[in-house]
């Protein structure tokens, strides 16, 4: 194992652990916010980005430290997994950038009208006839 492999292993490990810790913290945030029935779109986008980034780090581990054989199927799967993870990461970054530069990082979704077994628009149509 070369020095580059060791540095990459350390960097990937730190990134992966930090992303998992942030996802756990965001999960707790969302659980609390769902009880209050209001969710921040910016935090939702951050959660999506971190999820895609964590998958990307797992794929990076898989690619970097798998046996370097000439298995075409494994290589194809790794390439496809990397492309999906990179696309999710890029999409998350684009959403976060748009929210930030349009100064929309304080948008919230109010979930008070959404209840189990109830149409949220049923009350608004009942008196319109």
């Amino acid at each position: 194992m070369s020095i580059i492999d060791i540095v990459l292993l350390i960097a990937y490990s730190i990134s992966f652990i930090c992303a998992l810790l942030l996802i756990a913290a965001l999960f707790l945030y969302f659980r609390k916010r769902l009880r209050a029935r209001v969710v921040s779109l910016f935090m939702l986008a951050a959660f999506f980005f971190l999820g895609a980034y964590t998958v990307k780090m797992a794929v990076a581990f898989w690619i970097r430290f798998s046996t370097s054989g000439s298995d075409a199927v494994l290589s194809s799967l790794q390439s496809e997994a990397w492309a999906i993870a990179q696309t999710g990461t890029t999409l998350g970054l684009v959403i976060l950038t748009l929210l930030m530069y349009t100064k929309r990082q304080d948008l919230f979704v109010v979930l008070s009208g959404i209840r189990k077994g109830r149409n949220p628009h049923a009350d608004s149509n009942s008196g319109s006839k």
Side-chain angles (χ1 to χ4, degrees), residues 1-16 57 61 64-65:
M1 194 180 265
S2 71
I3 190 72
I4 299 263
D5 290 331
I6 293 170
V7 169
L8 282 174
L9 177 63
I10 292 169
Y12 289 164
S13 297
I14 291 170
S15 296
F16 188 72
M57 285 296 97
F61 273 122
R64 186 71 182 167
F65 299 106

Side-chain angles (χ1 to χ4, degrees), residues 26 29-30 39-50 95-96 99 107 109:
L26 280 174
Y29 165 81
F30 280 119
V39 178
S40 166
L41 285 178
F42 190 83
M43 294 303 285
L44 192 60
F47 189 70
F48 176 77
F49 168 76
L50 280 170
I95 292 168
L96 288 170
L99 288 172
L107 288 178
V109 176

Side-chain angles (χ1 to χ4, degrees), residues 3 35 89:
I3 190 72
R35 286 185 188 143
T89 304

Side-chain angles (χ1 to χ4, degrees), residues 4 6-7 9 11-12 15 18 22 27 36 45 48 56 58 68 70 72 81 84-85 92 102 113 118 122-123 125 129:
I4 299 263
I6 293 170
V7 169
L9 177 63
Y12 289 164
S15 296
C18 287
L22 287 170
F27 177 77
F48 176 77
K56 186 177 173 182
S68 57
S70 61
I84 291 168
T102 59
R118 179 178 171 244
D123 295 336
N125 291 336
K129 290 183 181 180

